[in-house]
Amino acid sequence: MGATVTTISSELKQITADLHQVNPWTGLIRFGVIGTIFLSLVMLAWSVQNNSLFVITTILAGIFYAFLLICTHDMVHQTLTGWGWFDTVMPRLVSWPMFWPYSIYAELHSLHHGWNGVDLRDPERVQWTWQEYQQAQSIVQWYVRHQWLCDIFILGGIGLIIKTFIMGVRFQKLVTRMRRQILLDVTGILLVHSIMLAIAISQGQVLRYLLFWVILERVIGVIVQIRDHLEHYGLWVKFTNHQLTQIYACRNLKTSPLVGWLMGGLDYHAVHHAFPGIPFNQLPVAFTRIQGVLQKHNLPTMQLDSGYIKSTYRLSNHPSLIGEADETIPF
């Protein structure tokens, strides 16, 4: 079996070898278009006097801000533009206004790629184990049974921010640069919001300023929490090879080309995990090629789940656990 796995891994690398080249303009156009729409909506929101229009345009801005933040995921892997300075500086400038600790996330995300399906310490693991569930208090067990709704609509963006800070502190002894990243994010976030809050105070717009960020947090939280849960929930599995583990421990989703573009190819999440150096625009091609290799060796092919909304509805109504998690949690 070892030789077979080695052969398969070698074939997978060969058939995707030409897909790792990053075209900076492809990523820059995506980032620029989404960023321009977001900034235009923000300016429109702050230019209108009608409160209802303010809320509506802020909600729309939140949707595009979520997609802009998703662009920073590509920057973690240096696959958005391939320009080191851009993919290092820009994600922090985008993330800090939303209180998102990008520097901490980047370090944790590296651990996630190594530990997904392999090590339960994975900082991005959202699915609970059977043992964790059994040992939890009744209120926590209730939360696990209703985890999707709680995370998406209650914890939202602030939940992800707090979780990321907690994980950063937890792994600061393991990751040598983590303390510096924590300090960088805290300093950057405080500096950015001190400036923006000072401007809001000077204009007498403090309440609208607070409402603006609350709306953004709620909208972004829904989108990012859905993405965060769909990528791996119910798929924790360890194969004989790390590459194949990633192929089977991640979820691919059927969606339109536009949504796939906005999500940065993360609808092909298994492909991304198997080959994190492939840019978003090449992931569909890689998916087809990988399927061919899996079929050739009589291995299960990667599945395409039925889209973001349908898959969220299905999985949220059938919560499961790692371990004896093939069983649905009793309500």
Side-chain angles (χ1 to χ4, degrees):
M1 181 62 181
T4 302
V5 170
T6 302
T7 300
I8 295 170
S9 181
S10 178
E11 284 192 41
L12 289 173
K13 291 178 181 177
Q14 289 176 9
I15 57 100
T16 58
D18 63 323
L19 302 178
H20 287 74
Q21 185 65 38
V22 178
N23 182 339
W25 299 107
T26 301
L28 197 62
I29 289 172
R30 174 171 151 237
F31 182 83
V33 169
I34 295 173
T36 299
I37 295 174
F38 164 65
L39 290 175
S40 298
L41 288 167
V42 169
M43 290 188 290
L44 178 61
W46 282 96
S47 66
V48 298
Q49 298 301 316
N50 184 280
N51 289 331
S52 296
L53 288 177
F54 173 79
V55 170
I56 292 171
T57 51
T58 302
I59 289 173
L60 292 174
I63 293 172
F64 283 93
Y65 199 172
F67 294 133
L68 195 62
L69 287 169
I70 289 172
C71 285
T72 67
H73 166 268
D74 301 68
M75 298 179 187
V76 171
H77 298 283
Q78 297 284 302
T79 57
L80 185 71
T81 67
W83 297 336
W85 66 271
F86 187 92
D87 288 356
T88 299
V89 175
M90 194 56 67
R92 290 173 172 83
L93 297 181
V94 168
S95 301
W96 287 341
M98 196 55 250
F99 298 92
W100 179 240
Y102 170 83
S103 307
I104 300 173
Y105 164 74
E107 299 291 344
L108 294 175
H109 195 65
S110 178
L111 296 178
H112 166 62
H113 269 264
W115 289 352
N116 175 54
V118 177
D119 192 324
L120 290 171
R121 292 178 299 166
D122 178 4
E124 294 187 31
R125 174 170 67 92
V126 295
Q127 191 180 17
W128 289 56
T129 68
W130 180 262
Q131 184 178 18
E132 289 169 341
Y133 179 78
Q134 292 294 343
Q135 294 175 350
Q137 299 291 327
S138 58
I139 186 64
V140 177
Q141 291 184 341
W142 179 90
Y143 158 74
V144 176
R145 295 195 298 270
H146 303 85
Q147 179 182 345
W148 286 69
L149 291 178
C150 289
D151 287 354
I152 293 170
F153 296 109
I154 298 176
L155 296 180
I158 193 65
L160 281 174
I161 292 168
I162 293 172
K163 176 184 175 182
T164 302
F165 271 111
I166 290 173
M167 288 296 178
V169 172
R170 179 178 299 176
F171 290 113
Q172 60 182 324
K173 292 183 179 179
L174 179 65
V175 181
T176 56
R177 301 197 311 164
M178 188 63 81
R179 290 183 181 177
R180 183 171 60 186
Q181 305 291 36
I182 293 173
L183 179 61
L184 178 61
D185 280 335
V186 171
T187 303
I189 290 169
L190 290 177
L191 178 62
V192 168
H193 275 277
S194 295
I195 295 172
M196 292 193 298
L197 183 58
I199 295 173
I201 292 173
S202 68
Q203 298 297 315
Q205 296 286 344
V206 176
L207 291 180
R208 181 172 272 208
Y209 173 84
L210 295 175
L211 176 62
F212 176 77
W213 288 110
V214 168
I215 294 173
L216 288 184
E217 182 274 331
R218 290 289 85 189
V219 174
I220 294 170
V222 169
I223 295 172
V224 178
Q225 284 279 15
I226 287 175
R227 195 211 88 179
D228 192 45
H229 283 64
L230 280 179
E231 288 174 352
H232 303 288
Y233 191 90
L235 296 176
W236 189 273
V237 62
K238 183 178 180 180
F239 208 79
T240 52
N241 168 280
H242 183 75
Q243 195 172 59
L244 291 175
T245 295
Q246 301 314 305
I247 285 176
Y248 295 119
C250 307
R251 178 169 284 105
N252 301 303
L253 295 161
K254 292 180 182 178
T255 189
S256 68
L258 176 59
V259 173
W261 182 81
L262 290 169
M263 296 299 294
L266 290 176
D267 45 321
Y268 291 101
H269 203 64
V271 182
H272 164 68
H273 258 258
F275 297 98
I278 296 179
F280 72 93
N281 58 302
Q282 298 286 17
L283 291 175
V285 177
F287 174 84
T288 302
R289 294 184 185 181
I290 292 171
Q291 291 286 59
V293 173
L294 296 176
Q295 290 174 341
K296 175 183 174 181
H297 292 278
N298 297 315
L299 287 171
T301 56
M302 294 180 289
Q303 299 298 310
L304 276 172
D305 274 27
S306 54
Y308 283 93
I309 296 177
K310 289 184 179 179
S311 294
T312 297
Y313 179 80
R314 176 177 63 84
L315 291 167
S316 63
N317 282 285
H318 297 87
S320 61
L321 299 166
I322 298 171
E324 297 183 36
D326 291 337
E327 303 176 15
T328 298
I329 302 177
F331 281 86

